[in-house]
Amino acid sequence: MKHSATVAPTIPVAVQVGFGGSRDFFVGMKVLDDERRELEAQLLALLTDVLRRLPEALGMSKHHFLCGVSQVAIGADALFTQACATLAIPQRVLLPQEKHAYLEAADSDGTPDFNAAQRQHAIELLQLPHVVEERVVSDSSERSDQFVDANLAISRTADVIIGIVRRSAKHKVGGTFDLIERAASLGKPALIMEVAIEGDKALMSPLLPVGQWLNGQGFVAPGIPGELKGVGIEPVDFVTPDVDAYLQTIGREAGERSKAHSSLFKRGALTVLIFHVAATLLATFANKFHDGSLASALLFTELACLGAGLGAHLMLHKGHAVHVWAVTRLVAQMMTSLQAVRAAGGSLGYAVLMTWEEEFLPLLRTCTVLHLMQTRQQRCEPTAKLSLEARRDAYCRSRIEEDGLGQLHYYRKQARQAKYRRKVATVAFWIFSLGAVMATSLKWASLHGWLGNWGHHMLDWGGFFAIILPVIAVGFLSWSGASDLEARAATFSAMSAFLERQLPQLRAATSDHELDTLVRETETRLLGESHHWFSRRSFTDVT
């Protein structure tokens, strides 16, 4: 499968910074409370400056924006959350266990992870408006596994990882060094910065250019698929992002490009088939005429047809029409799906969790971050929300049922068309193949003198049809394969059956949780079908 080359974004794209750090920078030191607060203030200033200079160190453009990803433990995590708040950087908090249990947890010696003041501070941090997500990422009951799962989630979500540790800190399971190692195993840039306390000064190792990070050589800030080059959305005010406009603009542009390249591919495929069949006809006619000028004209026309067919074939390949069509159609389907889930009040995380090619992930992750930012703002500034019944009925009607636009109507119609066209192609193949068998049989019979006076006619025309009819038969097979008719018929029939089963369940949803579960299940199936189509189409060409 051809993979898209990514290009610098002309739309807002998130650069997610994973973070981990030491819980206590003062181990083994006798520090008074006032001194501790002063040193932590210095560390906060240093870390805030690191985040302020990070876009330049990572080579980010004006269309990129930072998003933090971390836990909210004491020490470095708390400082990171405060620094993100200072710079209005949206932050996703991924917890190893449910918040209450997390804040009340203790280590194997019974020492609490948070004392009362730290617990209250963590609660206040989680309530800050820049914290756009608070999510549990582990289902394990083992403490060590929970922290490992949190590190896994952070390293997989983030584009780059920064760790801040006290000098002489040791490796431990689920700790900061573990996070860095997991990032390294994924090939993501990672940087460890050391903190030292010297007297009344807090010192931190410098922020290096990304090329000097582990795995940082050759790093380029996330881009967008090259097929979306030129789609323009100027950077927005990320405090109040309009995620719906973002989804609509990308979806509309991708849909228009998809239609254009779909039409280009279908016209090109038909052109290749027609000109090659015509060339075969001309070559056969040329063999029947002994007049030099007429044969020469036929052969010249045959060459022109072959040239036109090959030219159309090369145009499709050099323009990557099939791949551009596949990518832009899939992106358009993604944006449509995300809009439907947002309207139903659901979460967009399902799209990122599905298996996508790498070139789509920055776009999907950015959509998720913008969605989280906007829903967080709505929580802070409550607005009128549609009732469960209104959201449920609107989703069922607009996404599934609506005549001419709903997915159920679409899949039923497409299944019927694919079955009909495949039947036409199959019947035509058999007709022309059997015709070729008959023509060849008649020519064979005429060679043995079994057809009497008709024999010399059968020698001429039987040979002609024995050549041209198999070519036409194979042309119908090629058209069927290039149009993906067999897979379309089977897939669309299965999708129609799924939606018919799913619709009554959606109609009967009686809670937000049930509706969200059913909507995500439906959209995962719909988006999965689009991805399967993308995979098939990326391997399909004019055969």
PDB file of all heavy atoms in Angstrom, residues 234-269:
ATOM      1  N   GLU A 234      -6.666  29.303   9.399  1.00  0.00           N
ATOM      2  CA  GLU A 234      -5.706  30.084  10.167  1.00  0.00           C
ATOM      3  C   GLU A 234      -5.748  29.674  11.639  1.00  0.00           C
ATOM      4  O   GLU A 234      -6.792  29.232  12.138  1.00  0.00           O
ATOM      5  CB  GLU A 234      -6.008  31.575  10.036  1.00  0.00           C
ATOM      6  CG  GLU A 234      -5.541  32.163   8.718  1.00  0.00           C
ATOM      7  CD  GLU A 234      -4.059  31.932   8.473  1.00  0.00           C
ATOM      8  OE1 GLU A 234      -3.238  32.279   9.344  1.00  0.00           O
ATOM      9  OE2 GLU A 234      -3.706  31.380   7.407  1.00  0.00           O
ATOM     10  N   PRO A 235      -4.605  29.773  12.343  1.00  0.00           N
ATOM     11  CA  PRO A 235      -4.591  29.424  13.772  1.00  0.00           C
ATOM     12  C   PRO A 235      -5.701  30.160  14.509  1.00  0.00           C
ATOM     13  O   PRO A 235      -5.941  31.337  14.287  1.00  0.00           O
ATOM     14  CB  PRO A 235      -3.207  29.889  14.233  1.00  0.00           C
ATOM     15  CG  PRO A 235      -2.372  29.865  12.998  1.00  0.00           C
ATOM     16  CD  PRO A 235      -3.292  30.229  11.868  1.00  0.00           C
ATOM     17  N   VAL A 236      -6.375  29.406  15.374  1.00  0.00           N
ATOM     18  CA  VAL A 236      -7.509  29.981  16.103  1.00  0.00           C
ATOM     19  C   VAL A 236      -7.093  30.305  17.528  1.00  0.00           C
ATOM     20  O   VAL A 236      -6.015  29.949  17.980  1.00  0.00           O
ATOM     21  CB  VAL A 236      -8.691  28.995  16.126  1.00  0.00           C
ATOM     22  CG1 VAL A 236      -9.205  28.733  14.739  1.00  0.00           C
ATOM     23  CG2 VAL A 236      -8.284  27.694  16.798  1.00  0.00           C
ATOM     24  N   ASP A 237      -7.977  30.998  18.227  1.00  0.00           N
ATOM     25  CA  ASP A 237      -7.775  31.251  19.650  1.00  0.00           C
ATOM     26  C   ASP A 237      -8.083  29.954  20.383  1.00  0.00           C
ATOM     27  O   ASP A 237      -9.219  29.542  20.512  1.00  0.00           O
ATOM     28  CB  ASP A 237      -8.730  32.359  20.106  1.00  0.00           C
ATOM     29  CG  ASP A 237      -8.641  32.589  21.611  1.00  0.00           C
ATOM     30  OD1 ASP A 237      -7.801  31.941  22.254  1.00  0.00           O
ATOM     31  OD2 ASP A 237      -9.406  33.432  22.120  1.00  0.00           O
ATOM     32  N   PHE A 238      -7.043  29.263  20.846  1.00  0.00           N
ATOM     33  CA  PHE A 238      -7.233  27.926  21.374  1.00  0.00           C
ATOM     34  C   PHE A 238      -7.905  27.915  22.747  1.00  0.00           C
ATOM     35  O   PHE A 238      -8.161  26.870  23.306  1.00  0.00           O
ATOM     36  CB  PHE A 238      -5.899  27.190  21.426  1.00  0.00           C
ATOM     37  CG  PHE A 238      -5.365  26.885  20.064  1.00  0.00           C
ATOM     38  CD1 PHE A 238      -4.212  27.488  19.600  1.00  0.00           C
ATOM     39  CD2 PHE A 238      -6.051  26.027  19.232  1.00  0.00           C
ATOM     40  CE1 PHE A 238      -3.731  27.216  18.327  1.00  0.00           C
ATOM     41  CE2 PHE A 238      -5.585  25.750  17.960  1.00  0.00           C
ATOM     42  CZ  PHE A 238      -4.423  26.342  17.507  1.00  0.00           C
ATOM     43  N   VAL A 239      -8.189  29.091  23.293  1.00  0.00           N
ATOM     44  CA  VAL A 239      -8.980  29.112  24.518  1.00  0.00           C
ATOM     45  C   VAL A 239     -10.449  28.851  24.174  1.00  0.00           C
ATOM     46  O   VAL A 239     -11.188  28.219  24.920  1.00  0.00           O
ATOM     47  CB  VAL A 239      -8.825  30.469  25.231  1.00  0.00           C
ATOM     48  CG1 VAL A 239      -9.713  30.518  26.465  1.00  0.00           C
ATOM     49  CG2 VAL A 239      -7.357  30.683  25.619  1.00  0.00           C
ATOM     50  N   THR A 240     -10.870  29.338  23.009  1.00  0.00           N
ATOM     51  CA  THR A 240     -12.252  29.135  22.568  1.00  0.00           C
ATOM     52  C   THR A 240     -12.251  28.589  21.137  1.00  0.00           C
ATOM     53  O   THR A 240     -12.639  29.279  20.198  1.00  0.00           O
ATOM     54  CB  THR A 240     -13.036  30.458  22.620  1.00  0.00           C
ATOM     55  OG1 THR A 240     -12.325  31.446  21.838  1.00  0.00           O
ATOM     56  CG2 THR A 240     -13.189  30.944  24.040  1.00  0.00           C
ATOM     57  N   PRO A 241     -11.791  27.363  20.932  1.00  0.00           N
ATOM     58  CA  PRO A 241     -11.714  26.819  19.576  1.00  0.00           C
ATOM     59  C   PRO A 241     -13.087  26.471  19.026  1.00  0.00           C
ATOM     60  O   PRO A 241     -13.990  26.096  19.769  1.00  0.00           O
ATOM     61  CB  PRO A 241     -10.885  25.548  19.777  1.00  0.00           C
ATOM     62  CG  PRO A 241     -11.211  25.122  21.160  1.00  0.00           C
ATOM     63  CD  PRO A 241     -11.400  26.388  21.952  1.00  0.00           C
ATOM     64  N   ASP A 242     -13.250  26.628  17.748  1.00  0.00           N
ATOM     65  CA  ASP A 242     -14.487  26.220  17.096  1.00  0.00           C
ATOM     66  C   ASP A 242     -14.220  24.890  16.405  1.00  0.00           C
ATOM     67  O   ASP A 242     -13.901  24.841  15.228  1.00  0.00           O
ATOM     68  CB  ASP A 242     -14.934  27.285  16.092  1.00  0.00           C
ATOM     69  CG  ASP A 242     -16.321  26.999  15.535  1.00  0.00           C
ATOM     70  OD1 ASP A 242     -16.833  25.888  15.778  1.00  0.00           O
ATOM     71  OD2 ASP A 242     -16.876  27.877  14.858  1.00  0.00           O
ATOM     72  N   VAL A 243     -14.351  23.815  17.153  1.00  0.00           N
ATOM     73  CA  VAL A 243     -14.016  22.503  16.628  1.00  0.00           C
ATOM     74  C   VAL A 243     -14.979  22.088  15.527  1.00  0.00           C
ATOM     75  O   VAL A 243     -14.593  21.391  14.579  1.00  0.00           O
ATOM     76  CB  VAL A 243     -13.975  21.455  17.764  1.00  0.00           C
ATOM     77  CG1 VAL A 243     -15.320  21.292  18.425  1.00  0.00           C
ATOM     78  CG2 VAL A 243     -13.469  20.112  17.250  1.00  0.00           C
ATOM     79  N   ASP A 244     -16.234  22.503  15.591  1.00  0.00           N
ATOM     80  CA  ASP A 244     -17.195  22.138  14.541  1.00  0.00           C
ATOM     81  C   ASP A 244     -16.787  22.740  13.196  1.00  0.00           C
ATOM     82  O   ASP A 244     -16.862  22.074  12.160  1.00  0.00           O
ATOM     83  CB  ASP A 244     -18.603  22.593  14.923  1.00  0.00           C
ATOM     84  CG  ASP A 244     -19.161  21.779  16.084  1.00  0.00           C
ATOM     85  OD1 ASP A 244     -19.043  20.541  16.040  1.00  0.00           O
ATOM     86  OD2 ASP A 244     -19.685  22.368  17.039  1.00  0.00           O
ATOM     87  N   ALA A 245     -16.352  24.008  13.217  1.00  0.00           N
ATOM     88  CA  ALA A 245     -15.891  24.635  11.976  1.00  0.00           C
ATOM     89  C   ALA A 245     -14.644  23.929  11.449  1.00  0.00           C
ATOM     90  O   ALA A 245     -14.473  23.775  10.237  1.00  0.00           O
ATOM     91  CB  ALA A 245     -15.602  26.117  12.215  1.00  0.00           C
ATOM     92  N   TYR A 246     -13.786  23.502  12.360  1.00  0.00           N
ATOM     93  CA  TYR A 246     -12.566  22.757  11.991  1.00  0.00           C
ATOM     94  C   TYR A 246     -12.942  21.471  11.260  1.00  0.00           C
ATOM     95  O   TYR A 246     -12.423  21.174  10.170  1.00  0.00           O
ATOM     96  CB  TYR A 246     -11.788  22.460  13.265  1.00  0.00           C
ATOM     97  CG  TYR A 246     -10.432  21.825  13.086  1.00  0.00           C
ATOM     98  CD1 TYR A 246      -9.288  22.612  12.901  1.00  0.00           C
ATOM     99  CD2 TYR A 246     -10.269  20.450  13.135  1.00  0.00           C
ATOM    100  CE1 TYR A 246      -8.033  22.030  12.777  1.00  0.00           C
ATOM    101  CE2 TYR A 246      -9.017  19.856  13.008  1.00  0.00           C
ATOM    102  CZ  TYR A 246      -7.903  20.654  12.834  1.00  0.00           C
ATOM    103  OH  TYR A 246      -6.660  20.073  12.701  1.00  0.00           O
ATOM    104  N   LEU A 247     -13.848  20.697  11.855  1.00  0.00           N
ATOM    105  CA  LEU A 247     -14.264  19.432  11.250  1.00  0.00           C
ATOM    106  C   LEU A 247     -14.976  19.666   9.924  1.00  0.00           C
ATOM    107  O   LEU A 247     -14.733  18.944   8.936  1.00  0.00           O
ATOM    108  CB  LEU A 247     -15.185  18.677  12.210  1.00  0.00           C
ATOM    109  CG  LEU A 247     -14.587  18.237  13.548  1.00  0.00           C
ATOM    110  CD1 LEU A 247     -15.670  17.631  14.440  1.00  0.00           C
ATOM    111  CD2 LEU A 247     -13.460  17.244  13.338  1.00  0.00           C
ATOM    112  N   GLN A 248     -15.838  20.661   9.875  1.00  0.00           N
ATOM    113  CA  GLN A 248     -16.607  20.916   8.657  1.00  0.00           C
ATOM    114  C   GLN A 248     -15.713  21.371   7.506  1.00  0.00           C
ATOM    115  O   GLN A 248     -15.885  20.927   6.363  1.00  0.00           O
ATOM    116  CB  GLN A 248     -17.678  21.969   8.939  1.00  0.00           C
ATOM    117  CG  GLN A 248     -18.808  21.471   9.821  1.00  0.00           C
ATOM    118  CD  GLN A 248     -19.665  22.598  10.366  1.00  0.00           C
ATOM    119  OE1 GLN A 248     -19.514  23.756   9.970  1.00  0.00           O
ATOM    120  NE2 GLN A 248     -20.570  22.264  11.282  1.00  0.00           N
ATOM    121  N   THR A 249     -14.748  22.239   7.798  1.00  0.00           N
ATOM    122  CA  THR A 249     -13.869  22.754   6.743  1.00  0.00           C
ATOM    123  C   THR A 249     -13.026  21.635   6.144  1.00  0.00           C
ATOM    124  O   THR A 249     -12.932  21.497   4.915  1.00  0.00           O
ATOM    125  CB  THR A 249     -12.946  23.850   7.301  1.00  0.00           C
ATOM    126  OG1 THR A 249     -13.746  24.920   7.819  1.00  0.00           O
ATOM    127  CG2 THR A 249     -12.021  24.387   6.221  1.00  0.00           C
ATOM    128  N   ILE A 250     -12.416  20.825   6.999  1.00  0.00           N
ATOM    129  CA  ILE A 250     -11.579  19.734   6.501  1.00  0.00           C
ATOM    130  C   ILE A 250     -12.435  18.701   5.770  1.00  0.00           C
ATOM    131  O   ILE A 250     -12.070  18.211   4.691  1.00  0.00           O
ATOM    132  CB  ILE A 250     -10.806  19.078   7.655  1.00  0.00           C
ATOM    133  CG1 ILE A 250      -9.853  20.095   8.293  1.00  0.00           C
ATOM    134  CG2 ILE A 250     -10.023  17.859   7.163  1.00  0.00           C
ATOM    135  CD1 ILE A 250      -9.191  19.605   9.560  1.00  0.00           C
ATOM    136  N   GLY A 251     -13.591  18.358   6.356  1.00  0.00           N
ATOM    137  CA  GLY A 251     -14.459  17.378   5.722  1.00  0.00           C
ATOM    138  C   GLY A 251     -14.961  17.831   4.367  1.00  0.00           C
ATOM    139  O   GLY A 251     -15.004  17.048   3.408  1.00  0.00           O
ATOM    140  N   ARG A 252     -15.345  19.105   4.261  1.00  0.00           N
ATOM    141  CA  ARG A 252     -15.852  19.627   2.988  1.00  0.00           C
ATOM    142  C   ARG A 252     -14.765  19.610   1.915  1.00  0.00           C
ATOM    143  O   ARG A 252     -14.989  19.136   0.789  1.00  0.00           O
ATOM    144  CB  ARG A 252     -16.367  21.048   3.183  1.00  0.00           C
ATOM    145  CG  ARG A 252     -16.939  21.663   1.911  1.00  0.00           C
ATOM    146  CD  ARG A 252     -17.488  23.064   2.160  1.00  0.00           C
ATOM    147  NE  ARG A 252     -16.448  23.985   2.615  1.00  0.00           N
ATOM    148  CZ  ARG A 252     -16.362  24.451   3.851  1.00  0.00           C
ATOM    149  NH1 ARG A 252     -17.216  24.064   4.773  1.00  0.00           N
ATOM    150  NH2 ARG A 252     -15.407  25.302   4.181  1.00  0.00           N
ATOM    151  N   GLU A 253     -13.562  20.092   2.258  1.00  0.00           N
ATOM    152  CA  GLU A 253     -12.470  20.138   1.283  1.00  0.00           C
ATOM    153  C   GLU A 253     -12.050  18.726   0.873  1.00  0.00           C
ATOM    154  O   GLU A 253     -11.821  18.451  -0.310  1.00  0.00           O
ATOM    155  CB  GLU A 253     -11.290  20.900   1.866  1.00  0.00           C
ATOM    156  CG  GLU A 253     -10.104  21.047   0.907  1.00  0.00           C
ATOM    157  CD  GLU A 253     -10.428  21.877  -0.310  1.00  0.00           C
ATOM    158  OE1 GLU A 253     -11.295  22.774  -0.228  1.00  0.00           O
ATOM    159  OE2 GLU A 253      -9.817  21.626  -1.369  1.00  0.00           O
ATOM    160  N   ALA A 254     -11.943  17.819   1.846  1.00  0.00           N
ATOM    161  CA  ALA A 254     -11.562  16.440   1.529  1.00  0.00           C
ATOM    162  C   ALA A 254     -12.617  15.779   0.656  1.00  0.00           C
ATOM    163  O   ALA A 254     -12.283  15.034  -0.281  1.00  0.00           O
ATOM    164  CB  ALA A 254     -11.358  15.638   2.816  1.00  0.00           C
ATOM    165  N   GLY A 255     -13.903  16.047   0.939  1.00  0.00           N
ATOM    166  CA  GLY A 255     -14.972  15.464   0.138  1.00  0.00           C
ATOM    167  C   GLY A 255     -14.927  15.941  -1.306  1.00  0.00           C
ATOM    168  O   GLY A 255     -15.126  15.150  -2.239  1.00  0.00           O
ATOM    169  N   GLU A 256     -14.661  17.229  -1.508  1.00  0.00           N
ATOM    170  CA  GLU A 256     -14.586  17.766  -2.876  1.00  0.00           C
ATOM    171  C   GLU A 256     -13.413  17.156  -3.634  1.00  0.00           C
ATOM    172  O   GLU A 256     -13.539  16.801  -4.813  1.00  0.00           O
ATOM    173  CB  GLU A 256     -14.450  19.285  -2.816  1.00  0.00           C
ATOM    174  CG  GLU A 256     -15.719  19.984  -2.322  1.00  0.00           C
ATOM    175  CD  GLU A 256     -15.532  21.480  -2.120  1.00  0.00           C
ATOM    176  OE1 GLU A 256     -14.376  21.954  -2.310  1.00  0.00           O
ATOM    177  OE2 GLU A 256     -16.508  22.167  -1.769  1.00  0.00           O
ATOM    178  N   ARG A 257     -12.275  17.008  -2.969  1.00  0.00           N
ATOM    179  CA  ARG A 257     -11.116  16.405  -3.636  1.00  0.00           C
ATOM    180  C   ARG A 257     -11.366  14.926  -3.923  1.00  0.00           C
ATOM    181  O   ARG A 257     -10.929  14.398  -4.954  1.00  0.00           O
ATOM    182  CB  ARG A 257      -9.872  16.589  -2.778  1.00  0.00           C
ATOM    183  CG  ARG A 257      -9.474  18.036  -2.598  1.00  0.00           C
ATOM    184  CD  ARG A 257      -8.161  18.209  -1.845  1.00  0.00           C
ATOM    185  NE  ARG A 257      -7.898  19.615  -1.590  1.00  0.00           N
ATOM    186  CZ  ARG A 257      -6.740  20.093  -1.144  1.00  0.00           C
ATOM    187  NH1 ARG A 257      -5.746  19.263  -0.890  1.00  0.00           N
ATOM    188  NH2 ARG A 257      -6.575  21.388  -0.936  1.00  0.00           N
ATOM    189  N   SER A 258     -12.063  14.261  -3.015  1.00  0.00           N
ATOM    190  CA  SER A 258     -12.384  12.855  -3.218  1.00  0.00           C
ATOM    191  C   SER A 258     -13.244  12.670  -4.463  1.00  0.00           C
ATOM    192  O   SER A 258     -12.989  11.793  -5.290  1.00  0.00           O
ATOM    193  CB  SER A 258     -13.090  12.288  -1.984  1.00  0.00           C
ATOM    194  OG  SER A 258     -13.569  10.986  -2.226  1.00  0.00           O
ATOM    195  N   LYS A 259     -14.284  13.495  -4.597  1.00  0.00           N
ATOM    196  CA  LYS A 259     -15.167  13.383  -5.757  1.00  0.00           C
ATOM    197  C   LYS A 259     -14.410  13.640  -7.058  1.00  0.00           C
ATOM    198  O   LYS A 259     -14.607  12.932  -8.055  1.00  0.00           O
ATOM    199  CB  LYS A 259     -16.323  14.376  -5.618  1.00  0.00           C
ATOM    200  CG  LYS A 259     -17.327  14.005  -4.540  1.00  0.00           C
ATOM    201  CD  LYS A 259     -18.416  15.067  -4.433  1.00  0.00           C
ATOM    202  CE  LYS A 259     -19.385  14.717  -3.303  1.00  0.00           C
ATOM    203  NZ  LYS A 259     -20.424  15.778  -3.134  1.00  0.00           N
ATOM    204  N   ALA A 260     -13.543  14.638  -7.044  1.00  0.00           N
ATOM    205  CA  ALA A 260     -12.793  14.967  -8.256  1.00  0.00           C
ATOM    206  C   ALA A 260     -11.886  13.816  -8.680  1.00  0.00           C
ATOM    207  O   ALA A 260     -11.832  13.451  -9.861  1.00  0.00           O
ATOM    208  CB  ALA A 260     -11.967  16.236  -8.028  1.00  0.00           C
ATOM    209  N   HIS A 261     -11.174  13.206  -7.735  1.00  0.00           N
ATOM    210  CA  HIS A 261     -10.242  12.133  -8.079  1.00  0.00           C
ATOM    211  C   HIS A 261     -10.961  10.812  -8.331  1.00  0.00           C
ATOM    212  O   HIS A 261     -10.469   9.977  -9.102  1.00  0.00           O
ATOM    213  CB  HIS A 261      -9.191  11.984  -6.986  1.00  0.00           C
ATOM    214  CG  HIS A 261      -8.139  13.048  -7.035  1.00  0.00           C
ATOM    215  ND1 HIS A 261      -8.301  14.278  -6.449  1.00  0.00           N
ATOM    216  CD2 HIS A 261      -6.919  13.078  -7.626  1.00  0.00           C
ATOM    217  CE1 HIS A 261      -7.229  15.025  -6.671  1.00  0.00           C
ATOM    218  NE2 HIS A 261      -6.380  14.333  -7.377  1.00  0.00           N
ATOM    219  N   SER A 262     -12.121  10.623  -7.715  1.00  0.00           N
ATOM    220  CA  SER A 262     -12.930   9.449  -8.030  1.00  0.00           C
ATOM    221  C   SER A 262     -13.371   9.501  -9.488  1.00  0.00           C
ATOM    222  O   SER A 262     -13.273   8.511 -10.223  1.00  0.00           O
ATOM    223  CB  SER A 262     -14.155   9.389  -7.114  1.00  0.00           C
ATOM    224  OG  SER A 262     -15.074   8.416  -7.553  1.00  0.00           O
ATOM    225  N   SER A 263     -13.855  10.666  -9.903  1.00  0.00           N
ATOM    226  CA  SER A 263     -14.282  10.839 -11.288  1.00  0.00           C
ATOM    227  C   SER A 263     -13.109  10.659 -12.246  1.00  0.00           C
ATOM    228  O   SER A 263     -13.234  10.025 -13.305  1.00  0.00           O
ATOM    229  CB  SER A 263     -14.906  12.225 -11.462  1.00  0.00           C
ATOM    230  OG  SER A 263     -15.283  12.454 -12.792  1.00  0.00           O
ATOM    231  N   LEU A 264     -11.952  11.213 -11.861  1.00  0.00           N
ATOM    232  CA  LEU A 264     -10.759  11.087 -12.699  1.00  0.00           C
ATOM    233  C   LEU A 264     -10.364   9.620 -12.874  1.00  0.00           C
ATOM    234  O   LEU A 264     -10.055   9.165 -13.979  1.00  0.00           O
ATOM    235  CB  LEU A 264      -9.603  11.866 -12.070  1.00  0.00           C
ATOM    236  CG  LEU A 264      -8.245  11.773 -12.777  1.00  0.00           C
ATOM    237  CD1 LEU A 264      -8.324  12.373 -14.164  1.00  0.00           C
ATOM    238  CD2 LEU A 264      -7.162  12.479 -11.946  1.00  0.00           C
ATOM    239  N   PHE A 265     -10.393   8.855 -11.771  1.00  0.00           N
ATOM    240  CA  PHE A 265     -10.017   7.446 -11.846  1.00  0.00           C
ATOM    241  C   PHE A 265     -10.996   6.662 -12.720  1.00  0.00           C
ATOM    242  O   PHE A 265     -10.596   5.858 -13.568  1.00  0.00           O
ATOM    243  CB  PHE A 265      -9.968   6.826 -10.451  1.00  0.00           C
ATOM    244  CG  PHE A 265      -9.853   5.324 -10.474  1.00  0.00           C
ATOM    245  CD1 PHE A 265      -8.642   4.721 -10.778  1.00  0.00           C
ATOM    246  CD2 PHE A 265     -10.951   4.521 -10.211  1.00  0.00           C
ATOM    247  CE1 PHE A 265      -8.527   3.334 -10.822  1.00  0.00           C
ATOM    248  CE2 PHE A 265     -10.855   3.147 -10.243  1.00  0.00           C
ATOM    249  CZ  PHE A 265      -9.631   2.546 -10.550  1.00  0.00           C
ATOM    250  N   LYS A 266     -12.292   6.885 -12.519  1.00  0.00           N
ATOM    251  CA  LYS A 266     -13.283   6.113 -13.271  1.00  0.00           C
ATOM    252  C   LYS A 266     -13.214   6.431 -14.766  1.00  0.00           C
ATOM    253  O   LYS A 266     -13.296   5.522 -15.602  1.00  0.00           O
ATOM    254  CB  LYS A 266     -14.683   6.401 -12.717  1.00  0.00           C
ATOM    255  CG  LYS A 266     -14.886   5.828 -11.321  1.00  0.00           C
ATOM    256  CD  LYS A 266     -16.209   6.268 -10.708  1.00  0.00           C
ATOM    257  CE  LYS A 266     -16.362   5.715  -9.302  1.00  0.00           C
ATOM    258  NZ  LYS A 266     -17.595   6.195  -8.629  1.00  0.00           N
ATOM    259  N   ARG A 267     -13.050   7.714 -15.095  1.00  0.00           N
ATOM    260  CA  ARG A 267     -12.909   8.068 -16.517  1.00  0.00           C
ATOM    261  C   ARG A 267     -11.629   7.485 -17.088  1.00  0.00           C
ATOM    262  O   ARG A 267     -11.604   6.975 -18.212  1.00  0.00           O
ATOM    263  CB  ARG A 267     -12.911   9.590 -16.674  1.00  0.00           C
ATOM    264  CG  ARG A 267     -14.246  10.253 -16.394  1.00  0.00           C
ATOM    265  CD  ARG A 267     -14.270  11.663 -16.994  1.00  0.00           C
ATOM    266  NE  ARG A 267     -13.145  12.466 -16.545  1.00  0.00           N
ATOM    267  CZ  ARG A 267     -13.160  13.246 -15.467  1.00  0.00           C
ATOM    268  NH1 ARG A 267     -14.257  13.313 -14.730  1.00  0.00           N
ATOM    269  NH2 ARG A 267     -12.103  13.959 -15.131  1.00  0.00           N
ATOM    270  N   GLY A 268     -10.545   7.563 -16.311  1.00  0.00           N
ATOM    271  CA  GLY A 268      -9.275   7.016 -16.796  1.00  0.00           C
ATOM    272  C   GLY A 268      -9.330   5.513 -16.983  1.00  0.00           C
ATOM    273  O   GLY A 268      -8.822   4.979 -17.978  1.00  0.00           O
ATOM    274  N   ALA A 269      -9.956   4.809 -16.053  1.00  0.00           N
ATOM    275  CA  ALA A 269     -10.059   3.351 -16.156  1.00  0.00           C
ATOM    276  C   ALA A 269     -10.861   2.956 -17.386  1.00  0.00           C
ATOM    277  O   ALA A 269     -10.482   2.038 -18.134  1.00  0.00           O
ATOM    278  CB  ALA A 269     -10.703   2.787 -14.894  1.00  0.00           C
TER     279      ALA A 269
END
